[in-house]
Amino acid sequence: MSEKKKNPVSAAAEKVAEKVQDAVLPAPEIPGAPGPEAASAEEPTKARTPLPPKRDQRGPDTYSPTGQETGTPQGRVAQDGAHLTTAQGARLYDTDHSLKAGPRGPVLLQDHHLREKITHFDHERIPERVVHARGAAAHGVFRAYGAAAGISKAAFLAEGVETPVFVRFSTVLGSRGSADTVRDTRGFATKFYTQEGVFDLVGNNIPVFFIQDAIKFPDVIHAGKPHPDREIPQAQSAHDTFWDFVTLHTEATHHTLWNMSDRGIPRSYRMMEGFGVHTFRLVNAEGATTLVKFHWKPKLGVHSLVWEEAQITAGMDPDFHRRDLADAIEAGAFPQWELGVQTFPDTEDQMFEGIDLLDPTKIVPEELAPVRAIGLMTLDANPSNFFAETEQVAFHLGHLVPGIDVTDDPLLQGRLFSYLDTQISRLGGPNFGQLPINRTHAPVNDMLRDGMHQTAVHRGVAPYRPHSLDGGCPFLAGADTGAYIEVPAEVPAARKVRDAAASFDDHFSQARLFWLSMTPTEREHIAAAYTFELGKCWEKAIKERALKVLANIDPDLCTQVASGLGLPVPEASVPFAAVEPSPALSQLSEQWPVDGRIIGIVTDGADDLDGVREVRRAVLEAGMVPLVIAPAGGTLDPDGDPVTVQRTFTTARSVEFDALLLAGAPAPAADAYGARDAKADDGAAAATGVEPRLLLMVTEAYRHGKAIGAWGAGVSALEAAGLPANSAGVVTDGAASQVLEAVTGLLGGHRAWDRFTPAL
């Protein structure tokens, strides 16, 4: 039986929900509208109740603070009423003027509305997360395949069970106001609202971490954060303190290499893998245990930005990843990931093929332990309120359910303390689990009382055990009644030491494994990233030390970076490990679905507008998003079959699009001059007669390996840009529909990789 069937929503609630849904206007073809209804030119004056949410939005399921399903429609916990009120519900006739002693007199202390409004505003913000402050999130559902039933008794992993989820993606180093496309590790945290309690799978888009022991976590974060004297650079690792730490603390080498790869700049959260990082222990119904590593595999494949593209995007649209996720869900291109596990025997030494499973700086190559898919997650709704949901969601690795247990990984052990401690500080007390987004869907009877922000109204007089005054309730559960029971693993008798196992001492073999698994193009990107990041360091000694680390990974990598830094190439200080490359680590190997890709369609409004209409419809039918780009906004052919313009040459930049289709070669627009738009200050326009910002857009897209299609007059725009019409990833043959078909095929490989010519 599915979890949805176990907890049916009341018929009354369903009817209200249907009415709310029916009241929403049809979903727009192009996502991004700020509200469910179009705004009027004049300020509305007729009183009406609040608008329903947009069709793509959903709030937290309505459960009580103690995990009881209330059946309350989500609209009932949002603002209500047609008139402005105080926080206590008293209607207000004015909120623009303080209460004064005459129009020009002093403000009166008795102005309760002023005091309430300003006081609440002064306390709107809560402390941002020390790490993972910059985030985006979505609601969804996880449906289990049943493939894990033999290794875990967790009820939500049984075949066909559907479990609501809330997922938060994030960067690590930057503040809430930083850009999305910086080079950084990404968080991938999933909250499963199971009927046995909340299970939080809190991972990253990189399967290893910088450190092996949680006691080093403050060190690596302090090193990566902005320098404390100037608070710069923001959201970057390209500075002295980061490289000072990771070159002295060489257990960080493996993660650093992943960060310098294309994994450090994902194209989209929708195209990003997730990893549980640690090894967990699963328990089946018979009590047998299995060690596992969790993997999230995106159905759209793994895809990344190229470095220049990431830099431009940070300036053009610092909210690029947030917008991409929200727009895709609004457009109905629901992101999906399969949850998979690598399984290992639960042996006494907790090793597998010579790899220490308790070392969070190590992976197990998929060629040695294939990833077995155990369920599918679909994100199908955006939050209705960022603060209440995305900002207040609280994850904790100690949120476990029967069938899932932890191991002695020293980083995992420290996180079990740290996450709980963090939430108590950030969310104002121990009752953070009662916030709507954090509420469990299982009954709660914890005998915990009081504390800041207590919203449950507990009954009874005996919050202690044993007692008889409340009838003995709550009672202890046994294994046969769903109790969470830790695996009774043997704890070896040992002397207390501040030390690590000898197997933790290998800091380079898996970094070399990763490097050798990359394609030549990916290796070029890694070498460029190291050269850029180390080039930003001031201290020559740190650069020289970094080269010594790279020399222990691969001589070619070290030579390329040393050449860029103008420094000598050091010799390796340890012998190179004999490793077999893992093709699964490369991102450049497969074809993927094109759902949600953004297609820019360039037109001057005159050339082949019927072709523009045709490809626009076809792009929508293929599950992609078409954005028409023209010299000016508004609509084209308003008296016929109008075509809405979504972008002009002022507002568009190549980084927004996965592919470009050129239906024309527009002449320079009226605003195409440097004083109005610096992008238009291009001498090529005078020679070619083509809009200079289009030439910039096309050459950037070509440089970044994106598919480009042109037909009719659009081919002359390619010629004006100096692009060879027959080069890799450029399509110019046939009519509009044929060009789109070819470009769509190219999108399956993410980029025209043949356009790059690696030297390594």
Side-chain angles (χ1 to χ4, degrees):
M1 182 181 292
S2 75
E3 298 203 359
K4 285 187 174 178
K5 292 180 180 177
K6 291 180 182 178
N7 283 296
V9 179
S10 69
E14 285 183 344
K15 289 181 180 179
V16 173
E18 288 172 1
K19 289 181 180 178
V20 169
Q21 191 75 358
D22 291 342
V24 182
L25 294 179
E29 290 182 337
I30 304 301
E37 291 187 6
S40 59
E42 302 296 329
E43 180 182 359
T45 57
K46 185 178 179 180
R48 60 178 293 180
T49 56
L51 296 176
K54 292 171 60 179
R55 192 175 287 270
D56 61 291
Q57 294 176 331
R58 186 166 75 232
D61 292 335
T62 49
Y63 282 74
S64 76
T66 55
Q68 304 298 311
E69 187 175 13
T70 65
T72 303
Q74 292 185 357
R76 294 285 181 86
V77 296
Q79 66 273 14
D80 198 14
H83 298 92
L84 181 67
T85 72
T86 67
Q88 311 307 317
R91 290 186 179 182
L92 294 162
Y93 71 92
D94 186 287
T95 191
D96 296 330
H97 306 93
S98 302
L99 191 65
K100 308 180 187 71
R104 298 177 62 80
V107 174
L108 301 179
L109 184 61
Q110 73 180 67
D111 189 349
H112 61 92
H113 175 44
L114 167 69
R115 289 161 59 196
E116 179 186 73
K117 186 175 180 180
I118 293 296
T119 297
H120 195 282
F121 171 77
D122 290 343
H123 296 269
E124 278 183 1
R125 293 293 170 262
I126 62 175
E128 68 175 33
R129 290 167 168 85
V130 175
V131 289
H132 299 280
R134 173 79 177 178
H139 295 274
V141 64
F142 174 79
R143 188 177 188 277
Y145 296 156
I151 57 175
S152 176
K153 62 183 178 181
F156 81 98
L157 295 178
E159 184 176 2
V161 172
E162 293 187 354
T163 303
V165 296
F166 188 73
V167 179
R168 187 178 188 273
F169 305 102
S170 57
T171 54
V172 173
L173 292 177
S175 67
R176 277 190 59 193
S178 57
D180 279 346
T181 59
V182 296
R183 183 179 295 280
D184 196 1
T185 305
R186 265 60 179 188
F188 192 135
T190 307
K191 186 175 290 290
F192 296 82
Y193 302 94
T194 88
Q195 291 308 304
E196 297 178 298
V198 167
F199 169 55
D200 286 346
L201 181 54
V202 192
N204 290 330
N205 73 320
I206 292 176
V208 292
F209 204 58
F210 289 107
I211 54 175
Q212 296 168 323
D213 193 307
I215 201 169
K216 296 297 297 180
F217 192 73
D219 299 303
V220 66
I221 297 303
H222 287 167
K225 283 286 191 177
H227 293 198
D229 54 350
R230 300 186 181 187
E231 187 63 11
I232 56 174
Q234 174 65 236
Q236 295 184 55
S237 55
H239 55 90
D240 288 81
T241 60
F242 174 81
W243 288 98
D244 184 40
F245 175 82
V246 299
T247 55
L248 288 170
H249 199 68
T250 53
E251 69 191 50
T253 301
H254 192 192
H255 188 151
T256 302
L257 187 60
W258 277 75
N259 239 23
M260 295 302 107
S261 77
D262 294 339
R263 303 282 185 144
I265 42 175
R267 158 62 180 84
S268 165
Y269 289 135
R270 300 178 292 123
M271 304 168 191
M272 189 176 82
E273 278 186 299
F275 303 92
V277 178
H278 308 288
T279 300
F280 290 81
R281 178 176 278 114
L282 301 188
V283 189
N284 68 13
E286 288 73 43
T289 60
T290 304
L291 300 182
V292 303
K293 286 184 176 290
F294 289 109
H295 295 247
W296 288 112
K297 296 285 189 181
K299 298 291 279 186
L300 295 179
V302 187
H303 185 26
S304 297
L305 300 170
V306 295
W307 181 227
E308 184 193 39
E309 189 181 18
Q311 293 174 301
I312 295 172
T313 304
M316 293 296 295
D317 185 3
D319 305 305
F320 184 71
H321 285 152
R322 283 185 177 183
R323 192 184 316 281
D324 173 86
L325 177 66
D327 282 358
I329 292 172
E330 184 179 357
F334 299 144
Q336 292 185 315
W337 290 260
E338 280 192 312
L339 179 63
V341 290
Q342 289 179 294
T343 60
F344 319 102
D346 191 0
T347 58
E348 184 177 356
D349 62 2
Q350 298 176 89
M351 303 280 287
F352 181 79
E353 298 289 339
I355 300 168
D356 193 331
L357 297 175
L358 299 186
D359 182 351
T361 68
K362 303 292 194 300
I363 64 166
V364 177
E366 293 183 28
E367 290 76 15
L368 295 179
V371 177
R372 181 201 313 179
I374 62 173
L376 178 69
M377 179 173 72
T378 303
L379 300 184
D380 57 7
N382 287 311
S384 58
N385 184 277
F386 182 91
F387 177 81
E389 299 169 73
T390 308
E391 188 64 14
Q392 290 197 127
V393 66
F395 297 95
H396 174 33
L397 281 85
H399 292 162
L400 300 165
V401 293
I404 303 177
D405 204 348
V406 299
T407 58
D408 292 336
D409 175 337
L411 179 60
L412 172 58
Q413 292 281 315
R415 292 177 74 193
L416 289 168
F417 168 80
S418 179
Y419 278 67
L420 180 60
D421 193 46
T422 294
Q423 307 304 356
I424 290 173
S425 173
R426 197 175 67 86
L427 296 172
N431 292 311
F432 61 86
Q434 295 184 17
L435 293 166
I437 193 61
N438 296 322
R439 289 177 183 173
T440 179
H441 293 190
V444 173
N445 197 343
D446 54 21
M447 293 201 304
L448 304 176
R449 293 296 183 265
D450 308 336
M452 292 284 285
H453 308 140
Q454 176 63 256
T455 56
V457 183
H458 295 101
R459 298 175 181 174
V461 297
Y464 55 85
R465 280 189 54 86
H467 71 80
S468 62
L469 295 178
D470 288 338
C473 183
F475 299 91
L476 297 177
D480 58 339
T481 50
Y484 183 88
I485 300 175
E486 290 80 4
V487 174
E490 293 288 336
V491 178
R495 184 176 302 162
K496 290 188 291 186
V497 295
R498 291 191 183 274
D499 202 352
S503 55
F504 279 43
D505 292 339
D506 173 15
H507 299 163
F508 300 110
S509 66
Q510 289 217 330
R512 180 164 175 77
L513 165 67
F514 183 79
W515 169 258
L516 294 178
S517 302
M518 296 294 99
T519 63
T521 297
E522 290 170 305
R523 293 185 190 182
E524 288 281 4
H525 293 169
I526 292 171
Y530 270 102
T531 305
F532 174 86
E533 298 256 329
L534 291 168
K536 287 282 190 175
C537 292
W538 194 92
E539 292 286 354
K540 180 182 177 184
I542 292 175
K543 300 175 188 180
E544 292 174 335
R545 194 190 310 141
L547 290 175
K548 292 179 180 178
V549 172
L550 296 181
N552 290 333
I553 299 173
D554 188 87
D556 289 335
L557 171 61
C558 184
T559 299
Q560 292 292 328
V561 177
S563 174
L565 298 176
L567 294 173
V569 180
E571 295 292 328
S573 60
V574 297
F576 292 126
V579 295
E580 286 293 325
S582 170
L585 296 176
S586 172
Q587 298 184 174
L588 275 58
S589 57
E590 299 184 44
Q591 292 288 308
W592 304 99
V594 297
D595 307 45
R597 301 300 176 95
I598 310 298
I599 310 300
I601 306 173
V602 177
T603 178
D604 58 6
D607 289 315
D608 195 15
L609 203 53
D610 286 337
V612 171
R613 294 187 182 98
E614 180 184 8
V615 297
R616 187 180 182 280
R617 283 193 297 269
V619 167
L620 283 167
E621 290 169 359
M624 300 183 288
V625 178
L627 296 179
V628 175
I629 311 163
T635 56
L636 305 175
D637 192 15
D639 298 325
D641 182 6
V643 176
T644 302
V645 176
Q646 282 84 34
R647 299 289 187 273
T648 66
F649 295 118
T650 299
T651 60
R653 193 72 184 259
S654 68
V655 293
E656 183 177 7
F657 309 106
D658 294 291
L660 289 176
L661 299 176
L662 309 182
D671 61 350
Y673 53 93
R676 178 69 65 85
D677 186 350
K679 300 194 303 296
D681 195 7
D682 185 351
T688 64
V690 177
E691 163 62 53
R693 291 162 296 184
L694 172 59
L695 301 180
L696 173 65
M697 188 183 307
V698 170
T699 54
E700 278 183 354
Y702 183 85
R703 194 163 63 244
H704 299 156
K706 295 182 179 180
I708 303 172
W711 68 92
V715 176
S716 62
L718 294 181
E719 296 170 352
L723 301 187
N726 59 350
S727 61
V730 177
V731 181
T732 58
D733 297 328
S737 60
Q738 295 170 309
V739 170
L740 173 61
E741 182 179 2
V743 165
T744 302
L746 292 167
L747 281 171
H750 296 317
R751 296 185 193 273
W753 296 112
D754 292 343
R755 199 178 292 161
F756 297 93
T757 53
L760 294 178

